[in-house]
Amino acid sequence: TSPSPVSVKPVSLSRFLIEEQRSKGQINADLRLLIEVVARACKRISIAVGKGALGGVLGSAGTENVQGETQKKLDVLSNEILLEANEWGGHLAALASEEMDDPHPIPNRYPKGEYLLVFDPLDGSSNIDVNISVGTIFSVLRCPEGVTEPDEQAFLQRGTRQVAAGYAVYGSSTVLVLTLGDGVHAFTLDREQGGFVLTQSNLTIPEDTGEFAINMSNIRHWEPPMRRYIDELLAGKTGPRGRDFNMRWVASMVADVHRILTRGGIFIYPRDLKDPSKPGKLRLMYEANPMAFVVEQAGGAATTGRARILDVKPEKLHQRVPVFLGSRNEVERATRYHTEAD
Ligand code: AHG
Ligand code: MN
Ligand code: MN
Ligand code: MN
């Protein structure tokens, strides 16, 4: 009898990145280092999240961020973990974060690199204390040519300029989802080995879906086309859509987006009329853009309800945009209702 085949060695994140670098020239050594450093930081955040009450990381930090949100201890800790992990590597020119008012320059004692990293260090903060999945979202841009002291202006690049983006979701398992512009791939944290292992390649989002994600408590503040789109879903089989729909809302964007990447769906955080100065709650640079890049790379669509998210020209680092993303046919329908109503 022939010897049983040696079990195929699982592909580590490092091996995946080296093969991407060697085979497709999709990335260079600095970008590979950046992704590995971010992954290691996400592993450390996963360990802190996993300790829960035993780690002294629950509850409020008693401080407020530039968004006017009360920071959780884990918001601040996750931000510090990502700063410390990335400062010394020599691959970044600067970092920006939901939890920092302004970009963080690389200290002069370290060499600067060609990349900018912008991130939401802990997404879904309101879920930390109730043990519901949270995550980290990151986006990689190139520092503009000739800019040696990158400020906010250096970050204000359209989402189409991203060279990489992804998220880590800290759920029953910790999964890192990554795109380098060549498909979407998922890596599960092997806690015994302490590394991320490729568990899904080329994730794709079904074009149609029977599941939507939205915070219904804001319904009284929605624009008419938003109301029309949701009312049609709620009308079910006997309504204009001719089928029933299911609803899911985790209130951690990473968890809702991960579900959609895994089984389809449409995620919506619309503009609401309660505060016209805030066109929706989600932030363009470190929530909407990275998630839009991932979703489009998985065959889905991502719009503001009126325009492609990746085409939006950023004006401010912490600016907000409405978000419609997921199964292409639903996002296009909801977007059409808005553009037809304008
Ligand atoms: P963050 O915790 O980073 O501030 O983001 C929270 C966001 C996003 O994760 C989620 O989709 C949304 O807030 C939920 O908003 P509501 O609580 O208004 O539903
Ligand atoms: Mn927040
Ligand atoms: Mn967030
Ligand atoms: Mn956050």
Side-chain angles (χ1 to χ4, degrees):
T1 55
S2 60
S4 63
V6 174
S7 67
V8 174
K9 185 161 174 20
V11 174
S12 69
L13 174 64
S14 300
R15 179 174 161 189
F16 172 86
L17 293 172
I18 287 168
E19 289 175 349
E20 281 291 301
Q21 181 184 345
R22 180 187 307 141
S23 61
K24 301 190 182 120
Q26 196 74 23
I27 63 173
N28 62 27
D30 261 3
L31 183 54
R32 174 161 59 81
L33 173 63
L34 169 52
I35 302 291
E36 289 181 328
V37 165
V38 168
R40 260 197 305 280
C42 290
K43 182 173 63 173
R44 284 183 54 198
I45 296 169
S46 172
I47 292 165
V49 168
K51 286 183 178 158
L54 301 178
V57 294
L58 300 184
S60 165
T63 46
E64 198 174 276
N65 63 14
V66 68
Q67 330 280 340
E69 301 167 340
T70 300
Q71 291 175 307
K72 298 281 190 178
K73 286 180 188 158
L74 259 178
D75 282 323
V76 176
L77 174 63
S78 304
N79 190 62
E80 283 162 7
I81 287 173
L82 279 154
L83 289 186
E84 284 158 19
N86 277 288
E87 274 192 329
W88 47 269
H91 48 282
L92 284 183
L95 306 95
S97 163
E98 177 199 353
E99 305 303 338
M100 299 188 296
D101 299 14
D102 303 309
H104 177 87
I106 296 298
N108 291 330
R109 64 182 177 281
Y110 299 124
K112 284 188 173 52
E114 64 175 301
Y115 294 106
L116 300 175
L117 178 67
V118 52
F119 52 86
D120 176 356
L122 209 288
D123 175 65
S125 306
S126 66
N127 282 326
I128 294 168
D129 297 347
V130 294
N131 202 25
I132 291 173
S133 301
V134 293
T136 299
I137 309 171
F138 63 91
S139 169
V140 183
L141 297 162
R142 280 196 183 80
C143 188
E145 282 295 314
V147 173
T148 53
E149 299 296 331
D151 58 5
E152 173 170 4
Q153 197 57 38
F155 282 83
L156 301 181
Q157 303 176 40
R158 285 180 173 77
T160 44
R161 307 277 303 164
Q162 295 175 95
V163 294
Y167 61 85
V169 51
Y170 312 119
S172 34
S173 62
T174 287
V175 181
L176 177 76
V177 172
L178 172 69
T179 185
L180 301 165
D182 179 31
V184 178
H185 313 290
F187 304 82
T188 301
L189 179 60
D190 175 341
R191 295 188 190 282
E192 276 89 46
Q193 300 286 332
F196 285 97
V197 173
L198 181 66
T199 40
Q200 275 176 292
S201 299
N202 298 312
L203 281 109
T204 53
I205 301 176
E207 290 193 336
D208 292 299
T209 182
E211 197 160 68
F212 67 98
I214 194 166
N215 181 339
M216 293 292 285
S217 69
N218 298 317
I219 192 164
R220 64 187 179 287
H221 301 303
W222 294 345
E223 297 178 280
M226 187 67 251
R227 188 63 194 260
R228 173 192 173 197
Y229 176 74
I230 293 294
D231 284 346
E232 288 185 1
L233 302 188
L234 296 176
K237 239 193 245 355
T238 56
R241 301 300 310 273
R243 64 164 294 170
D244 292 341
F245 285 81
N246 188 36
M247 195 195 100
R248 285 283 180 277
W249 184 253
V250 183
S252 293
M253 186 184 198
V254 284
D256 282 313
V257 170
H258 191 67
R259 185 190 58 255
I260 287 166
L261 266 177
T262 309
R263 70 181 191 214
I266 179 170
F267 171 98
I268 305 173
Y269 209 108
R271 166 191 311 275
D272 60 39
L273 306 174
K274 71 178 172 247
D275 181 352
S277 73
K278 280 187 184 172
K281 174 179 180 182
L282 300 177
R283 284 56 58 110
L284 174 62
M285 295 304 294
Y286 40 82
E287 290 171 320
N289 266 343
M291 291 308 204
F293 189 17
V294 167
V295 163
E296 285 199 3
Q297 282 288 313
T303 74
T304 63
R306 290 171 166 91
R308 185 182 179 222
I309 284 176
L310 293 182
D311 288 337
V312 173
K313 174 70 182 84
E315 304 301 331
K316 298 292 288 174
L317 184 60
H318 299 289
Q319 84 179 59
R320 299 166 193 264
V321 288
V323 174
F324 295 70
L325 63 75
S327 293
R328 173 167 293 284
N329 292 340
E330 285 306 315
V331 173
E332 286 176 355
R333 173 189 287 266
T335 304
R336 192 168 59 248
Y337 287 9
H338 283 75
T339 52
E340 283 168 357
D342 284 349

